[in-house]
Amino acid sequence: MNKFGFLPDKTFSQIEEIENMSNLIVSGTMTILPYIDDIPKTEKLFSEMRKISHKIKTKISPTCVAMSMGMSRDYVYALKQGSTHLRIGTLLYGNR
């Protein structure tokens, strides 16, 4: 089963739609990178997500303060880009 979110070019219009719904609040963004062994590319993708999150917070939804990005294999680079939430289950519990 594949999971997916908004494509980068559709993100802002989707967030604007959500903001117009009276019963929902955008509290943050989340990204999971593809499994890659390319540190510069990983850093670039996290940097791009940080910029997207910042734009959402400053131009559309001031409640968008959380940024969930980084998993066991790449959390160090996510933290450098300001991640507020990490998913590090493999580091804590080992491979499953």
Side-chain angles (χ1 to χ4, degrees):
M1 175 179 182
N2 290 326
K3 299 176 185 177
F4 58 91
F6 302 138
L7 296 172
D9 62 332
K10 303 280 186 197
T11 299
F12 302 112
S13 62
Q14 294 288 326
I15 297 296
E16 287 172 342
E17 282 186 44
I18 292 169
E19 279 294 301
N20 289 324
M21 297 176 185
S22 62
N23 57 340
L24 294 176
I25 296 170
V26 177
S27 61
T29 57
M30 176 181 156
T31 189
I32 298 174
L33 298 187
Y35 191 83
I36 53 176
D37 284 327
D38 182 339
I39 293 170
K41 175 123 178 148
T42 296
E43 291 177 324
K44 181 178 185 253
L45 291 170
F46 283 143
S47 175
E48 289 173 8
M49 189 63 206
R50 179 184 48 77
K51 291 172 186 172
I52 290 169
S53 294
H54 180 74
K55 184 174 179 180
I56 292 168
K57 180 181 176 184
T58 59
K59 299 199 181 288
I60 304 170
S61 179
T63 58
C64 184
V65 295
M67 192 168 43
S68 177
M69 57 183 196
M71 299 177 79
S72 294
R73 68 179 181 270
D74 56 18
Y75 75 94
V76 171
Y77 310 108
L79 286 172
K80 288 180 181 178
Q81 292 299 324
S83 180
T84 61
H85 295 73
L86 303 169
R87 293 169 308 282
I88 55 171
T90 300
L91 280 176
L92 297 173
Y93 305 111
N95 289 328
R96 298 177 295 281

